[in-house]
Amino acid sequence: MKNLFKEPFIHFMAMGLLLFLLYSLVNESSESREDIVIDINDIESYTAKWEMQWKRPPTQEELANLVVQNIKQEVFYQEALKLNLDHNDEIIKRRLSQKMEFLSNDLATLAEPSGEELEVYFNENSEKYLSPYRYSLYQIVFSYDRHENPDETIVKVLEKANTATIEAMESEGDNLPFPFHYKNVDSRELSRELGSVFTDNLKSLELNNWIGPVASGFGKHLVYITDMEKPRLPDLSSVKEEVLRDFQYEKQKEMNDLIFENLKTKYKINFVFDDSESAKAFKTLLDKKLEQG
């Protein structure tokens, strides 16, 4: 714990929060909080914009996220005005709220992480940097369109698989636009072609044996894996730029969230909806989202 407080990044995080806390105290003219009102017209507006972009209505979860995002935008906008960030700048609310976020991001990137900090982050998030599985394999597929029961067909084909050559097995499957032979292909590329369900099933299969059925979105497969390279963790030096980018992004988000948590206490958030059960449930969801930040 003592070492933690010696870290430069912690010092800058504390300085950033102190800056905004001092500003709040100096500029507080009364004990009352400022009101932000969200009513049914706002909800309809958010919904209409979502439908225009995504060509479908938002789910309750998506709509709640939109409301919280707009509240956050309004809080940052009001604080940006108080900091005079709009001086000689003809921009809309979104841009002003982004300026507030940029300030918090700048605070989070003032200190470059030490080699030790980056190493700790790398080890704690090692799964993000693992190389993908790689395979060399043969596959044949029995599609749902051409087989009433692909599993039953595969059982019959497997009965002669052990005595047939690999080349002879190619003609047993359906003629779909996938290679019979994949050589040294990584799981991400294979997922793009045959889906993640297929590649997830490959991880536990034994080598040099026809095995099936292995499901995909196209049907059921028989698979013969000749080589499998499991994920490995690269040296930090080879992925340092990517790790540093991820580290800074997470620290910026932490700083942004901490500042927002402090600023939103100056505002009283009012939800003006009807008394229906669905409206009450939605208000409960919004309150929960705001508590979570």
Side-chain angles (χ1 to χ4, degrees):
M1 182 60 73
K2 291 182 179 179
N3 291 333
L4 179 64
F5 289 105
K6 293 180 181 179
E7 294 298 339
F9 191 84
I10 300 299
H11 296 165
F12 281 101
M13 291 277 281
M15 288 169 59
L17 288 174
L18 183 60
L19 170 66
F20 279 86
L21 286 169
L22 288 174
Y23 170 79
S24 300
L25 291 172
V26 170
N27 289 275
E28 191 74 17
S29 59
S30 70
E31 306 241 334
S32 63
R33 297 188 297 172
E34 299 176 52
D35 287 354
I36 294 176
V37 177
I38 304 294
D39 60 22
I40 190 63
N41 293 324
D42 296 307
I43 299 299
E44 289 174 353
S45 175
Y46 303 152
T47 301
K49 290 176 182 177
W50 177 278
E51 289 178 348
M52 186 179 298
Q53 180 176 358
W54 300 105
K55 311 302 180 188
R56 64 171 177 83
T59 64
Q60 290 286 286
E61 184 81 7
E62 290 165 341
L63 185 56
N65 288 334
L66 281 175
V67 174
V68 172
Q69 180 59 38
N70 277 274
I71 291 171
K72 183 176 182 179
Q73 177 178 295
E74 183 67 23
V75 169
F76 277 128
Y77 168 68
Q78 295 294 341
E79 295 300 319
L81 290 178
K82 294 171 185 176
L83 287 172
N84 205 29
L85 295 183
D86 63 328
H87 183 61
N88 292 329
D89 194 356
E90 298 177 2
I91 55 177
I92 59 175
K93 281 185 178 182
R94 183 183 299 275
R95 179 60 180 160
L96 288 174
S97 68
Q98 286 174 344
K99 282 190 172 184
M100 285 295 294
E101 293 190 21
F102 292 158
L103 283 178
S104 68
N105 290 348
D106 289 342
L107 289 169
T109 55
L110 281 174
E112 192 81 5
S114 66
E116 183 180 352
E117 284 180 303
L118 210 58
E119 183 85 34
V120 169
Y121 177 84
F122 176 64
N123 291 329
E124 289 179 348
N125 298 274
S126 59
E127 288 188 3
K128 294 172 59 175
Y129 308 105
L130 289 172
S131 63
Y133 276 88
R134 301 192 72 87
Y135 299 97
S136 291
L137 61 86
Y138 298 90
Q139 68 79 34
I140 54 178
V141 58
F142 302 87
S143 68
Y144 299 113
D145 293 336
R146 303 181 188 182
H147 299 271
E148 184 176 341
N149 189 338
D151 289 8
E152 188 176 286
T153 304
I154 284 177
V155 170
K156 293 179 181 179
V157 173
L158 274 174
E159 291 176 355
K160 54 184 176 181
N162 291 331
T163 57
T165 64
I166 289 179
E167 291 75 15
M169 289 292 290
E170 182 175 6
S171 61
E172 294 290 343
D174 296 337
N175 186 23
L176 295 184
F178 307 121
F180 171 58
H181 184 213
Y182 288 90
K183 185 175 182 179
N184 196 31
V185 61
D186 74 50
S187 57
R188 292 172 296 196
E189 181 180 344
L190 202 56
S191 291
R192 284 193 290 269
E193 288 197 25
L194 295 173
S196 59
V197 172
F198 178 82
T199 51
D200 287 345
N201 286 329
L202 297 182
K203 299 174 184 177
S204 59
L205 300 186
E206 62 182 86
L207 304 184
N208 301 313
N209 193 18
W210 282 107
I211 298 175
V214 178
S216 79
F218 302 97
K220 298 294 182 69
H221 301 248
L222 273 174
V223 178
Y224 189 101
I225 303 175
T226 58
D227 188 58
M228 178 194 301
E229 182 181 312
K230 295 185 178 181
R232 61 180 183 82
L233 186 64
D235 292 333
L236 173 57
S237 58
S238 65
V239 289
K240 185 175 181 179
E241 289 187 8
E242 181 182 355
V243 176
L244 178 59
R245 185 169 59 249
D246 292 342
F247 177 90
Q248 291 177 332
Y249 172 78
E250 289 198 14
K251 295 307 176 185
Q252 287 174 353
K253 187 176 183 302
E254 287 176 13
M255 176 65 82
N256 189 279
D257 290 343
L258 284 170
I259 291 174
F260 175 62
E261 284 300 310
N262 172 57
L263 293 179
K264 77 177 182 182
T265 61
K266 300 169 61 179
Y267 295 82
K268 183 178 179 181
I269 312 298
N270 298 311
F271 297 112
V272 182
F273 302 142
D274 57 43
D275 293 328
S276 66
E277 290 302 317
S278 60
K280 291 178 181 178
F282 186 56
K283 181 181 180 301
T284 300
L285 177 59
L286 289 172
D287 289 336
K288 182 178 180 182
K289 290 279 184 182
L290 279 175
E291 287 178 8
Q292 295 172 346

